[in-house]
Amino acid sequence: MKKALICGAGGFIAGHLAKRLKREGYWVRGVDQKYPEFSPAAADDFQVLDLRDGKSCCAALTAPGGGTFEEVYQLAADMGGMGFIQSAECEIMYNSSQINAHMTRCSALAGVKRYFFSSSACVYRDMRKDEAELSEEQAYPALPDNEYGWEKLYAERMAMAYGRRYGMAVRLARFQNCYGPEGTWNGGREKAPAALCRKIAEAEDGGSIEVWGDGTAMRAFTYVDDMVDGIVALMHSSLENGVNIGSREYVSVDELAKLIAEIAGKKVRLQHVTGPVGVRARNFRVDRMESIGWKSRISLREGIARTYPWIRNQVDANRHRNLIAPAA
Ligand code: NAD
């Protein structure tokens, strides 16, 4: 039985990945600084550790019986949507760089065979809406729009350097914006699809919601099941260096909000307000992933139709909790 270590397994994408690897028959250890919030950990073993600490990384990497993990999936990061990325740049750079420095080095020294790192589309520069999709090499000359992107780029390079020296097969995925059930939906770290689903779930039919910026920024979004398929396919492929994982279905932020409102069955007015928006457009090529047979299969409409009810249920449950909570 193959053994996999999944870092960040208390979070969204890694939580889904743990379920997937379990279904494939792996023995899985999850590690995170917190337990999963929305469903029990799918892992065989779950350790709560702060991965900014090298000793914790080494402890997480000690497989049962003292052996080594064949595969390590590093998805732990201090991370959130654009509001968080723009307000917590010091925390992101400090915390995530420590996690990546220690986990990369400890994995290489422990003799891990395959190491997956979750990088981001944020490694690319800002783009015009009508620009052609960027290929992976066009991350250089580097000009990420935010410090989160710079940290990811540095972590990619560190993983490649350790991979070269220690013969560890490193796989680097640059994720597009990912969404789906069990993702952060409130509290300030949520990303645009979850934030808009929440606002629409909270709004009255005929009411209005606030949308940051003028609503014209262009984005594409990947449903979490497609992302997890991509992670597994890339990990077992021979593709080296950064590889984009994402869909080619581009929409403006306003189009996304209108689609969610339609799926929610509500008429909602969009009120544009000043807020952190990020880049004007983000389009990247996915030919390298498609060359290994992967393709984004779940349309935005279908993905939102699966995600919105989950977020609406969270909103309802939260309202209910607040109603029955004793007054302070
Ligand atoms: P998430 O926040 O749900 O998961 C990250 C997990 O890392 C969290 O559970 C968090 O507790 C854990 N973590 C943070 N600091 C830690 C520490 N010091 N020790 C142990 N665990 C720690 O985020 P996600 O959306 O699942 O993202 C997973 C990975 O994918 C991240 O590396 C993220 O940067 C990357 N990514 C995500 C997206 C997206 O749209 N969700 C896009 C691009 C890249």
Side-chain angles (χ1 to χ4, degrees), residues 17 20 26 71-73 114-119 136 156 169-175 226-246 286-295:
L17 176 64
R20 167 68 185 271
Y26 280 71
E71 298 182 3
V72 170
Y73 296 81
R114 299 186 95 76
Y115 185 86
F116 175 93
F117 172 61
S118 53
S119 183
E136 282 85 351
E156 283 188 9
V170 169
R171 298 293 174 258
L172 305 171
R174 294 179 182 160
F175 294 169
D226 279 339
M227 191 62 86
V228 167
D229 284 350
I231 294 171
V232 174
L234 176 59
M235 181 63 142
H236 300 107
S237 75
S238 57
L239 294 183
E240 295 186 327
N241 305 320
V243 182
N244 299 330
I245 305 186
V286 285
D287 323 28
R288 294 195 76 208
M289 275 307 287
E290 288 181 353
S291 76
I292 57 167
W294 177 89
K295 202 168 173 318

Side-chain angles (χ1 to χ4, degrees), residues 238-286:
S238 57
L239 294 183
E240 295 186 327
N241 305 320
V243 182
N244 299 330
I245 305 186
S247 120
R248 288 204 171 106
E249 194 182 346
Y250 297 108
V251 289
S252 69
V253 172
D254 273 3
E255 284 165 343
L256 173 64
K258 285 175 189 162
L259 174 66
I260 297 171
E262 187 195 324
I263 285 167
K266 289 186 182 180
K267 286 212 175 346
V268 175
R269 199 164 39 82
L270 307 182
Q271 225 185 313
H272 295 111
V273 297
T274 306
V277 176
V279 294
R280 286 167 295 177
R282 178 94 76 205
N283 333 328
F284 63 24
R285 292 173 66 167
V286 285

Side-chain angles (χ1 to χ4, degrees), residues 81-144:
M82 206 34 75
F84 179 76
I85 284 179
Q86 290 194 3
S87 63
E89 44 187 32
C90 298
E91 291 80 0
I92 289 170
M93 295 189 95
Y94 181 78
N95 294 330
S96 295
S97 62
Q98 288 192 84
I99 297 171
N100 285 318
H102 289 304
M103 194 40 87
T104 306
R105 179 170 179 273
C106 293
S107 296
L109 294 178
V112 166
K113 301 276 178 301
R114 299 186 95 76
Y115 185 86
F116 175 93
F117 172 61
S118 53
S119 183
S120 164
C122 284
V123 301
Y124 296 103
R125 60 174 169 77
D126 192 2
M127 296 176 72
R128 291 189 319 273
K129 282 169 197 152
D130 51 357
E131 252 187 272
E133 292 171 330
L134 295 182
S135 66
E136 282 85 351
E137 314 83 75
Q138 288 176 296
Y140 296 98
L143 193 57

Side-chain angles (χ1 to χ4, degrees), residues 4-40:
L5 174 66
I6 305 184
C7 309
F12 170 45
I13 304 174
H16 283 270
L17 176 64
K19 289 180 193 153
R20 167 68 185 271
L21 293 187
K22 274 308 298 163
R23 281 200 301 276
E24 294 204 355
Y26 280 71
W27 188 91
V28 175
R29 173 178 290 159
V31 58
D32 200 297
Q33 61 186 357
K34 63 170 175 68
Y35 284 106
E37 204 178 327
F38 304 114
S39 61

Side-chain angles (χ1 to χ4, degrees), residues 63-77:
T68 307
F69 284 92
E70 286 92 349
E71 298 182 3
V72 170
Y73 296 81
Q74 195 330 63
L75 287 91

Side-chain angles (χ1 to χ4, degrees), residues 293-307:
W294 177 89
K295 202 168 173 318
S296 162
R297 293 176 199 284
I298 298 172
S299 68
L300 187 61
R301 177 173 289 276
E302 191 182 338
I304 292 293
R306 295 183 192 186
T307 308

Side-chain angles (χ1 to χ4, degrees), residues 11-13 32-33 49-51 75 77 118 148 152 178 191:
F12 170 45
I13 304 174
D32 200 297
Q33 61 186 357
L49 292 169
D50 183 347
L51 296 175
L75 287 91
S118 53
Y148 169 79
K152 289 288 189 195
C178 179
K191 307 193 115 201

